[in-house]
């Protein structure tokens, strides 16, 4: 394991002579100190650096240009300067001179205004133009620019990260803009689609019952990194790893995004909701060899990117044109410093790392057994207790689900998604994998002797079909993206229930509703950390588009009228969350290893006959019994993905009391799910499970009844 020291998160101990303009190399970025600001930026091969100070974000010329003396203002490869009289909110950028020689990996261009890699804020002029950062010539008027931010001036009012135990974590993946941008959101026009808009909708999140929001990228990104006449809506096109996205702020002030993001975090914490950020440390919006120059390629292209053997070309393990050189010492430091900043200064509770397996690659693109950057993140004491979630694959075929490096990383379980989808659409040879996913994916994670919550269980996420579309379309329908339906995944494992797209057929609609409830039930009751997509609780649709990254339209916005249209689904999900089974009643961490869980439950598998599960490739049903010892209760699950009803024998519960039906997804609301203590009794010795349905029963295991929720 290799460790590197990160720079301090606070500037409280820093000092400079009042008459010195030499500055100092640490900390990197723009740091207010006393009566001015210290600037420091890394560039190994630059021959000259200019600091540009602007009065407004769209100024065609800087108000002041300060040339850094390579003998006075450079230490090692760090260029630094102290400028007295500057204040919080100052807009700035850099011009950097050096060789333009792509064959050696150098792409300096002193006509371009460059962002500070450590800039805590970014302003985007109204006439921002990505193409002007690609063409030759000055782009000052249309360039994004950095902002000086004094983090010490914000009043957190005692707020700290929440650190909910993983066993009590339920994640709601959502898009900041899409959550409130629809005109029927009830949020005022000036606040729609912003961090403030999220604040206004916190009562909805509280009522739903989720414990954490996982926000699609909120680092400043390039909305113009997309096909012509489209917009990069999702935000997987970062230009800064420290600055909140200006477009999500309701104010135009240069400091508004930083302060409004903090207001949102503070308000969510007061509501008991954690904030997890989807972070993109695998690539940037600078794209391939023909892309724009925003920051990194204009400062030190060789350090920041993985280059091909032909150093004029970029390795593309991200599928977006370039790959960040995550294990280069300078980039490693930047990534760790960014995470520490968002935890210590922005009070974030956790991170989901997009295409995290890229962070396991070295400067040549080879996979490392012990990637330094991943161990830096895991072992940093300032990040202890922070939730770290890996999307453990990349776009070049590296798949590390179950084998991601580290002792505490949790993983998006893509195999949970695939196997649960396959089971409920009736595929053969899926039952054994499905059963394993229910109990924490032991075949994937059992060798690590970790808690069940290493697995983040999901059936849908931003990337792919919504839950409604998963049961409404056999094929993707991405024509609106302008790529002739070639984009997006083809392995969707979806089933339209008989008709492609929307239908008024009541039988098909009933079946779709049942399938959505099946998916939700398994996601929320399986061992692991459950996650579901914004709007799935009300069957939000993208009309079959499984790659809506470039659609800033109703395809992506939360349509709040669906709360009325699908109020039965909303009720179902709320009650599921209210009474999530197979967790400790006191909310403590599940301390049993997966091996122990499987061993304890192995005797509880059944088929239509007790103790006779059918594990054959043609089997489409299974039953499982378990115990909630702290609640003195027994539970019995029936999963019938077969297209006909099946009669399942019920096990004796030992207490003489009858089983009670909590969930039956084939029944109309409100019988489909009832409050736990209102569950009706089942007097028969068998239970007829309807086609393609899930049934959950419970019974008293002894004296007294289970505690109510």
């Amino acid at each position: 394991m290799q460790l590197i020291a990160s720079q301090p998160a606070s500037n409280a101990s820093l000092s400079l002579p009042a008459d010195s303009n030499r500055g100092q190399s640490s900390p990197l970025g723009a740091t207010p100190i006393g009566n001015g600001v210290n600037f420091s930026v890394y560039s190994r091969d630059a021959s000259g650096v200019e600091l540009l100070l602007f009065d407004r974000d769209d100024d065609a010329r800087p108000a002041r240009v300060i040339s850094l003396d390579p003998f006075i203002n450079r230490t090692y490869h760090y260029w630094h300067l102290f400028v007295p009289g500057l204040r919080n909110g100052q807009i700035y950028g850099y011009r950097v001179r050096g060789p333009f020689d792509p064959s050696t990996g150098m792409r300096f261009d002193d006509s371009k205004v460059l962002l500070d890699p450590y800039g805590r804020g970014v302003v985007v002029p109204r006439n921002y133009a990505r193409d002007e950062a690609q063409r030759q010539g000055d782009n000052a008027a249309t360039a994004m620019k950095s902002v000086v931010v004094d983090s010490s001036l914000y009043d957190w009012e005692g707020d700290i990260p929440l650190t909910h135990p993983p066993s009590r974590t339920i994640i709601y993946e959502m898009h900041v803009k899409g959550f409130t941008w629809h005109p029927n959101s009830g949020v005022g026009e000036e606040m729609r689609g912003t961090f403030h808009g999220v604040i206004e909708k916190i009562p909805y999140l509280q009522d739903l019952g989720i414990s954490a929001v996982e926000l699609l990228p909120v680092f400043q990104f390039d909305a113009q990194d997309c096909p012509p006449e489209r917009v990069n809506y999702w935000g997987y096109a970062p230009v800064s790893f420290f600055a909140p996205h200006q477009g999500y702020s309701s104010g135009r002030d240069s400091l508004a995004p930083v302060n409004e993001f903090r207001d949102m975090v503070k308000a969510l914490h007061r509501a008991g909701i954690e904030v997890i950020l989807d972070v993109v440390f695998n690539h940037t919006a600078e794209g391939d060899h023909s892309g724009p120059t925003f920051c990194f390629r204009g400062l030190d292209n060789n350090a920041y990117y993985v280059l091909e053997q032909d150093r004029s070309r970029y390795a593309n393990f991200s599928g977006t044109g370039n790959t960040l050189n995550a294990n280069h010492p300078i980039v490693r430091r930047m990534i760790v410093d960014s995470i520490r900043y968002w935890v210590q200064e922005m009070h974030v509770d956790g991170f989901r790392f997009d295409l995290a397996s890229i962070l396991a690659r070295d400067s040549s693109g080879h996979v490392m057994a012990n990637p330094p950057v991943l161990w830096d993140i895991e072992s940093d004491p300032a990040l202890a207790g922070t939730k770290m979630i890996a999307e453990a694959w990349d776009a070049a075929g590296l798949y590390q689900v179950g084998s991601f490096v580290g002792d505490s990383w949790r993983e998006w379980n893509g195999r949970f998604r695939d196997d649960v989808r396959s089971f409920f659409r009736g595929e053969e040879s899926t039952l054994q994998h499905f059963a394993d996913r229910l109990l924490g994916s032991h075949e994937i994670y059992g060798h690590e002797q970790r808690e069940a919550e290493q697995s983040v269980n999901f059936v849908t996420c931003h990337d792919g079909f919504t839950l409604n579309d998963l049961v409404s379309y056999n094929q993707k329908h991405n024509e609106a993206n302008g790529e002739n339906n070639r984009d997006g995944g083809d392995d969707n494992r979806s089933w339209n229930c008989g008709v492609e797209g929307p239908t008024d057929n009541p039988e098909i609609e009933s079946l779709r509703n049942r399938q959505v409830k099946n998916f939700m039930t398994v996601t929320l009751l399986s061992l692991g950390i459950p996650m579901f997509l914004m709007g799935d609780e009300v069957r939000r649709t993208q009309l079959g588009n499984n790659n809506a990254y470039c659609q800033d339209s109703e395809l992506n916005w939360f349509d709040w009228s669906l709360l009325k249209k699908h109020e039965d689904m909303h009720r179902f999900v709320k009650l599921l969350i209210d009474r999530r089974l197979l967790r400790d009643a006191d909310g403590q961490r599940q301390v049993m290893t997966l091996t122990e869980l499987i061993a304890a439950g192995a005797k509880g598998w059944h088929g239509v006959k007790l103790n006779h599960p059918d594990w054959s490739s043609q089997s489409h049903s299974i039953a499982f019994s378990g115990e909630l010892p702290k609640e003195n209760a027994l539970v019995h699950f029936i999963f019938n993905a077969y297209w006909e009803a099946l009669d399942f024998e019920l096990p004796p519960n030992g207490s003489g009391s009858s089983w009670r039906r909590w969930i039956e997804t084939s029944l109309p609301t409100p019988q489909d799910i009832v409050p736990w203590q209102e569950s009706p009794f089942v007097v028969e010795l068998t239970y007829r499970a309807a086609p393609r349905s899930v049934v959950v029963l419970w019974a008293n295991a002894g004296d007294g009844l289970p505690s109510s929720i």
Side-chain angles (χ1 to χ4, degrees):
M1 185 190 306
Q2 291 179 275
L3 306 180
I4 59 172
S6 293
Q7 57 185 353
S10 170
N11 61 11
S13 62
L14 300 175
S15 62
L16 283 172
D19 59 351
S20 171
N21 70 347
R22 182 177 187 276
Q24 59 188 34
S25 58
S26 180
L28 285 162
T31 307
I33 303 172
N35 69 333
V37 176
N38 185 77
F39 295 87
S40 178
V41 66
Y42 175 89
S43 183
R44 174 179 177 173
D45 296 310
S47 59
V49 175
E50 291 179 338
L51 174 67
L52 315 177
L53 303 177
F54 295 88
D55 292 335
R56 290 173 296 276
D57 59 14
D58 59 354
D59 282 349
R61 294 181 178 82
R64 186 178 175 191
V65 177
I66 306 175
S67 294
L68 278 66
D69 188 312
F71 298 102
I72 298 175
N73 302 112
R74 181 174 183 173
T75 303
Y76 185 53
H77 303 317
Y78 298 98
W79 300 75
H80 46 78
L81 176 74
F82 179 77
V83 183
L86 298 187
R87 296 183 296 175
N88 196 36
Q90 173 67 54
I91 300 171
Y92 71 99
Y94 291 102
R95 292 194 194 276
V96 179
R97 295 189 304 276
F100 182 81
D101 184 5
S103 67
T104 62
M106 294 191 190
R107 292 181 175 271
F108 292 98
D109 183 351
D110 63 1
S111 69
K112 297 295 179 282
V113 173
L114 303 182
L115 292 167
D116 180 354
Y118 276 71
R120 268 49 171 179
V122 172
V123 289
V124 184
R126 294 184 186 275
N127 61 337
Y128 162 70
R130 176 183 174 87
D131 58 353
E132 291 199 14
Q134 293 174 269
R135 297 195 297 260
Q136 291 184 347
D138 184 283
N139 72 328
T142 61
M144 290 183 265
K145 303 170 183 72
S146 295
V147 178
V148 174
V149 175
D150 188 343
S151 298
S152 67
L153 299 179
Y154 186 79
D155 184 4
W156 277 106
E157 302 178 281
D159 176 82
I160 57 174
L162 296 177
T163 63
H164 290 323
S167 63
R168 304 301 293 178
T169 297
I170 300 174
I171 299 173
Y172 188 73
E173 190 196 34
M174 60 179 275
H175 188 279
V176 169
K177 181 175 183 178
F179 191 49
T180 63
W181 187 252
H182 201 288
N184 64 15
S185 68
V187 174
E189 187 173 356
E190 294 300 316
M191 300 298 176
R192 290 178 199 156
T194 67
F195 298 128
H196 186 91
V198 173
I199 295 174
E200 291 196 31
K201 284 297 184 180
I202 287 177
Y204 173 79
L205 297 172
Q206 282 184 295
D207 181 64
L208 186 60
I210 53 94
S211 69
V213 291
E214 184 174 299
L215 304 179
L216 266 66
V218 299
F219 293 1
Q220 182 63 50
F221 60 87
D222 180 15
Q224 294 181 13
D225 185 8
C226 57
E229 301 180 3
R230 306 297 192 281
V231 63
N232 192 308
Y233 175 81
W234 283 350
Y236 292 90
V239 298
S240 172
F241 299 114
F242 292 84
H245 186 60
Q246 186 194 51
Y248 295 158
S249 171
S250 61
R252 289 294 300 175
D253 178 82
S254 62
L255 296 170
V258 180
N259 292 329
E260 194 169 323
F261 177 87
R262 289 167 156 180
D263 290 344
M264 178 193 68
V265 171
K266 186 164 60 177
L268 284 165
H269 283 175
R270 286 173 175 168
I273 298 172
E274 291 183 310
V275 178
I276 298 172
L277 300 186
D278 192 335
V279 292
V280 186
F281 290 116
N282 58 75
H283 75 279
T284 78
E286 290 187 312
D288 62 16
H289 61 280
S290 64
T293 298
F294 293 137
C295 174
F296 309 101
R297 77 169 65 199
L299 283 165
D300 197 320
N301 193 56
N302 281 306
Y304 283 107
Y305 293 111
V306 178
L307 303 179
E308 298 282 9
Q309 188 171 1
D310 173 1
R311 301 194 68 76
S312 68
R313 295 294 189 269
Y314 294 84
N316 188 19
F317 299 109
S318 67
T320 59
N322 65 49
T323 302
L324 204 65
N325 194 7
N327 285 291
H328 185 285
I330 295 302
V331 186
R332 284 166 55 197
R333 179 177 289 111
M334 180 184 69
I335 291 173
V336 176
D337 286 345
S338 168
I339 296 168
R340 293 185 70 186
Y341 173 76
W342 288 95
V343 170
Q344 296 180 325
E345 303 297 330
M346 307 296 267
H347 288 207
V348 163
D349 302 272
F351 304 89
R352 177 265 186 189
F353 288 73
D354 179 63
L355 298 182
S357 290
I358 287 179
L359 275 66
R361 295 185 182 272
D362 64 17
S363 294
S364 298
H366 299 128
V367 180
M368 309 173 74
N370 288 290
V373 69
L374 294 178
W375 284 110
D376 290 344
I377 294 168
E378 172 153 332
S379 61
D380 192 321
L383 302 177
T386 301
K387 290 180 172 66
M388 300 293 180
I389 302 170
E391 183 185 35
W393 55 83
D394 67 17
L398 180 58
Y399 195 79
Q400 297 179 310
V401 172
S403 62
F404 196 75
V405 173
D407 297 327
S408 63
W409 286 84
R410 307 181 193 282
E411 299 173 13
W412 266 26
N413 190 345
R415 290 175 63 182
F416 180 97
R417 172 200 61 206
D418 295 343
D419 293 333
V420 171
R421 288 184 178 194
S422 294
F423 175 74
F424 277 118
R425 78 168 182 170
E427 290 184 26
E428 293 188 353
S429 303
T430 60
L431 181 58
Q432 293 194 40
H433 291 315
F434 171 77
D436 187 68
R437 303 300 165 259
L438 293 174
L439 293 188
S441 297
H442 176 260
E443 69 177 12
I444 302 174
Y445 299 110
H447 67 285
E448 297 191 0
Q449 296 292 296
R450 288 273 304 280
E451 71 277 11
E453 288 78 21
Q454 182 178 357
S455 173
V456 176
N457 299 333
F458 68 103
V459 172
T460 58
C461 64
H462 68 278
D463 188 3
F465 282 143
T466 66
L467 201 47
N468 175 82
D469 293 358
L470 185 66
V471 301
S472 303
Y473 295 91
N474 284 347
Q475 308 293 332
K476 65 185 180 183
H477 295 270
N478 299 357
E479 291 81 4
N481 296 352
E483 299 181 43
N484 296 316
N485 209 34
R486 293 190 302 267
D487 63 308
D490 294 315
D491 182 17
N492 297 293
R493 308 189 188 200
S494 61
W495 178 49
N496 64 18
C497 297
V499 173
E500 188 77 353
T503 180
D504 294 328
N505 186 312
E507 292 185 4
I508 292 177
E509 264 301 290
S510 176
L511 177 56
R512 288 176 176 176
N513 227 35
R514 187 187 319 168
Q515 288 283 74
V516 170
K517 292 174 183 175
N518 292 340
F519 285 123
M520 276 291 189
T521 301
V522 170
T523 300
L524 286 164
L525 298 188
S526 295
L527 287 174
I529 296 177
M531 182 191 80
F532 63 98
L533 176 64
M534 175 189 84
D536 275 354
E537 72 276 16
V538 290
R539 289 185 57 182
R540 185 180 70 85
T541 180
Q542 292 175 180
L543 300 180
N545 193 319
N546 76 348
N547 188 37
Y549 79 99
C550 59
Q551 298 295 326
D552 189 1
S553 68
E554 293 196 32
L555 280 181
N556 270 316
W557 306 336
F558 192 118
D559 180 357
W560 292 86
S561 70
L562 295 175
L563 280 172
K564 179 65 175 177
K565 182 178 180 180
H566 293 295
E567 58 184 342
D568 65 316
M569 186 62 63
H570 184 253
R571 172 186 175 274
F572 186 89
V573 174
K574 279 183 56 179
L575 285 175
L576 265 177
I577 294 174
D578 280 347
R579 187 62 179 84
R580 186 171 175 229
L581 297 180
L582 299 180
R583 292 294 177 273
D584 291 335
D586 59 4
Q588 296 304 306
R589 173 180 173 178
Q590 173 60 267
V591 295
M592 293 178 70
T593 68
L594 288 172
T595 301
E596 292 169 328
L597 283 168
I598 294 296
K603 298 178 182 178
W605 293 112
H606 313 285
V608 293
K609 298 291 185 180
L610 286 177
N611 302 311
H612 289 85
D614 180 1
W615 298 111
S616 70
S617 61
Q618 292 79 33
S619 179
H620 300 280
S621 63
I622 195 71
F624 175 75
S625 299
E627 185 177 358
L628 299 175
K630 290 190 176 182
E631 301 192 55
N632 198 32
L634 304 173
V635 288
H636 187 68
F637 297 87
I638 299 172
F639 302 97
N640 182 21
Y642 194 51
W643 39 91
E644 294 181 9
L646 296 175
D647 294 317
F648 288 80
E649 292 180 352
L650 298 181
N653 58 45
S655 67
S657 62
S658 297
W659 289 101
R660 304 176 70 169
R661 188 192 72 235
W662 178 42
I663 292 174
E664 165 54 287
T665 60
S666 69
L667 296 177
T669 190
Q671 288 80 37
D672 53 351
I673 185 171
V674 297
W676 183 259
Q677 289 295 345
E678 298 176 19
S679 303
F681 287 101
V682 176
V683 297
E684 295 83 2
L685 299 179
T686 61
Y687 195 98
R688 169 155 286 203
R692 306 184 191 276
S693 68
V694 174
V695 177
V696 183
L697 312 175
W698 70 268
N700 179 23
D703 295 332
L705 288 172
S707 59
S708 60
I709 296 295

